[in-house]
C-alpha cells in the first residue's frame, strides 16, 4: 500500500491549509464538504498522512519516516477511520487499518446474521472516545477521518458532539460530507468548514485521460463534473449515457409510451441509487431544455430530451424531480425492487405526457 496523495485539483488548497503557519493553530474539528465524487475522502486521508508525518515537506507527508511507513501499511496507532460497516465492506476487507469492531461486524455479516449497517453507530463513537483519551503513541497528533458524516445517526451524532464539546488534546477530527445540510446543526457549529473545489473541466479531463477513461468529456458530463464519480461510472462498463435512458426518452420525444415492462426488467437488477441518479440527471436536462438551455448531463440525448420537454408540463417535471430526490435520500426502499422501478418509471412517463 502507498500513502494517499492529493489530487491535482486539491494541491493548492492543501498547501495553504496544511502549511507550517496554519499548523501552529490548527482547528481540532473540520467539516470537509463539496460535490460528491471529487475526492473528498482521499483528500482527508492524504491530509491525515500529512498531519501524522514526522518530517512533512510543506503540506505533503514525506513518505519515509516511521509515521508514514505505518500509515501506508494501515497500522498507524494514532490514526482511526470511522465509516459505516457497509462502506468498510465496499472498500474491501483486505485493506488494512480496519478497527477490530468492524472486522467482527464483517464476520457476522459473512455468517449471515444481519445486513451491514449503513450508519455510523454509537459503539464506533465510544471506541473513538476511549482511544482519544489515552496518550498518543508517537507524541504527535491523533487524527480521525470520519465519513460520510451524514451517516451518523441521531445518537452517534450526539455522541460525537459531546466529544467535540470537550475536545481531547492533540486530536484532529476530519469529517467528510456530501450533504452538510443533513448534519446535526450543533455538530456543524463545532467544526471549521473546509469546502473542497470541483476541478475545472480542463483539469478533470486531463486527469481522466491519464486514468484511461474514454470518452472523458461524456463521462465527466454524465457525472456532473465530478472526476472520481466519472471514473467510477466508466469502470462499470456501460456507456456515458445508459442505453435504457435512450429507450425511455426516444418514445417520449415522439409522443409514444415507452415499454415500461422491459425497462423495469433491465433496471430491477441495478442498484436503486444508480438508476435514480440517472433519472435525476435526466430530469435536470429536461428542466433545462424546458427553459431553452443546453443539456448538462447527457448531451447525446439533447434532441429527444428537448422534444420530450416540449410535451411536458413544467409543474409536473418539478414534482417528479422532487419525488426522485426524496427517493434518493432514503437509505432503504420499502417496496420490492421491481415494484419500485415500475412505479418510478410510470411517474417519469406521466410527467412527460
Ligand atoms: Zn513522513
Amino acid at each position: 500500500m502507498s500513502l494517499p496523495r492529493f489530487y491535482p485539483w486539491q494541491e493548492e488548497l492543501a498547501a495553504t491549509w496544511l502549511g507550517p503557519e496554519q499548523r501552529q493553530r490548527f482547528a481540532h474539528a473540520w467539516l470537509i464538504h463539496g460535490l460528491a465524487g471529487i475526492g473528498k475522502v482521499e483528500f482527508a486521508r492524504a491530509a491525515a498522512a500529512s498531519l501524522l508525518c514526522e518530517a512533512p515537506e510543506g503540506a505533503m507527508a514525506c513518505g519515509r519516516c516511521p509515521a508514514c511507513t505505518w500509515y501506508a501499511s494501515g497500522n498507524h496507532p494514532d490514526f482511526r477511520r470511522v465509516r459505516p460497516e457497509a462502506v468498510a465492506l465496499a472498500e474491501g476487507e483486505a485493506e488494512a487499518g480496519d478497527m477490530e469492531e468492524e472486522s467482527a461486524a464483517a464476520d457476522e455479516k459473512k455468517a449471515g446474521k444481519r445486513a451491514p449497517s449503513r450508519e455510523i453507530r454509537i459503539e464506533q463513537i465510544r471506541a473513538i472516545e476511549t482511544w482519544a483519551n489515552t496518550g498518543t503513541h508517537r507524541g504527535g497528533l491523533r487524527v480521525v477521518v470520519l465519513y460520510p458524516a451524514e451517516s451518523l445517526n441521531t445518537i452517534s451524532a450526539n455522541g460525537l458532539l459531546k466529544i467535540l464539546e470537550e475536545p481531547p488534546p492533540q486530536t484532529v477530527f476530519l469529517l467528510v460530507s456530501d450533504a452538510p445540510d443533513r448534519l446535526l446543526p450543533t455538530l456543524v457549529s463545532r467544526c471549521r468548514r473546509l469546502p473542497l473545489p470541483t476541478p475545472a473541466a480542463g483539469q478533470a479531463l486531463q486527469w481522466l485521460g491519464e486514468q484511461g477513461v474514454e470518452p472523458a468529456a461524456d463521462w465527466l458530463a454524465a457525472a456532473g463534473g465530478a472526476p472520481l464519480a466519472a471514473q467510477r461510472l466508466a469502470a462499470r462498463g456501460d456507456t456515458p449515457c445508459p442505453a435504457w435512458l435512450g429507450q425511455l426518452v426516444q418514445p417520449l420525444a415522439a409522443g409514444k409510451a415507452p415499454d415500461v415492462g422491459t425497462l423495469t426488467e433491465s433496471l430491477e437488477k441495478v442498484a436503486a441509487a444508480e438508476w435514480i441518479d440517472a433519472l435525476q440527471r435526466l430530469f435536470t436536462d429536461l428542466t433545462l431544455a424546458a427553459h431553452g438551455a443546453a443539456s448538462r448531463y447527457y448531451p447525446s440525448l439533447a434532441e429527444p430530451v428537448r422534444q420530450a420537454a416540449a410535451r411536458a408540463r413544467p409543474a409536473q417535471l418539478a414534482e417528479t424531480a422532487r419525488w426522485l430526490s426524496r427517493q434518493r435520500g432514503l437509505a432503504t426502499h420499502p417496496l420490492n425492487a421491481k415494484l419500485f422501478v415500475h412505479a418510478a418509471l410510470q411517474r417519469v412517463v406521466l410527467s412527460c405526457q
Side-chain angles (χ1 to χ4, degrees), residues 105-309:
D107 290 344
E108 268 189 47
K109 164 67 184 154
K110 277 180 205 133
K113 283 180 191 161
R114 61 184 175 85
S117 175
R118 297 189 170 276
E119 297 182 340
I120 293 173
R121 292 174 301 123
I122 186 64
E123 291 80 4
Q124 293 172 280
I125 299 301
R126 290 203 187 108
I128 289 298
E129 189 171 20
T130 308
W131 167 79
N133 283 303
T134 53
T136 72
H137 289 79
R138 296 293 294 178
L141 287 173
R142 251 182 311 246
V143 182
V144 180
V145 172
L146 180 147
Y147 61 93
E150 56 272 21
S151 66
L152 287 159
N153 60 32
T154 311
I155 298 171
S156 51
N158 276 294
L160 179 60
L161 175 63
K162 204 178 112 225
I163 298 177
L164 297 186
E165 280 170 349
E166 286 178 57
Q170 290 175 281
T171 308
V172 173
F173 288 84
L174 303 177
L175 279 56
V176 180
S177 177
D178 295 338
D181 53 327
R182 276 164 55 193
L183 302 179
L184 191 67
T186 42
L187 185 61
V188 174
S189 73
R190 289 278 160 188
C191 300
R192 291 275 302 275
R193 294 179 78 133
L194 185 73
L196 285 203
T198 300
Q203 201 169 29
L205 290 174
Q206 188 190 340
W207 182 81
L208 284 169
E210 286 161 11
Q211 312 307 310
V213 172
E214 281 182 10
D218 286 2
W219 285 113
L220 190 63
L228 272 86
Q231 188 188 29
R232 280 195 289 272
L233 285 176
R236 287 181 195 157
D238 201 345
T239 49
C241 175
W244 62 268
L245 269 186
Q247 291 156 16
L248 177 66
V249 175
Q250 300 282 3
L252 290 173
K256 294 180 189 150
D259 184 350
V260 171
T262 306
L263 285 167
T264 302
E265 273 169 35
S266 55
L267 284 188
E268 66 178 312
K269 296 166 205 92
V270 179
E274 198 178 314
W275 61 258
I276 296 175
D277 275 353
L279 286 179
Q280 283 190 285
R281 290 176 179 142
L282 174 68
F283 268 71
T284 302
D285 280 359
L286 284 166
T287 307
L288 287 168
H291 293 88
S295 288
R296 174 159 152 213
Y297 294 109
Y298 302 117
S300 64
L301 284 181
E303 189 48 31
V305 160
R306 192 187 60 75
Q307 291 168 6

Side-chain angles (χ1 to χ4, degrees), residues 57-90:
E57 296 161 355
M60 306 297 165
C62 75
R64 292 177 300 275
C65 71
C68 284
T69 309
W70 282 326
Y71 191 97
S73 61
N75 290 322
H76 199 299
D78 294 323
F79 174 70
R80 286 287 184 274
R81 241 183 321 179
V82 181
R83 55 204 163 140
E85 289 162 8
V87 172
L89 285 170

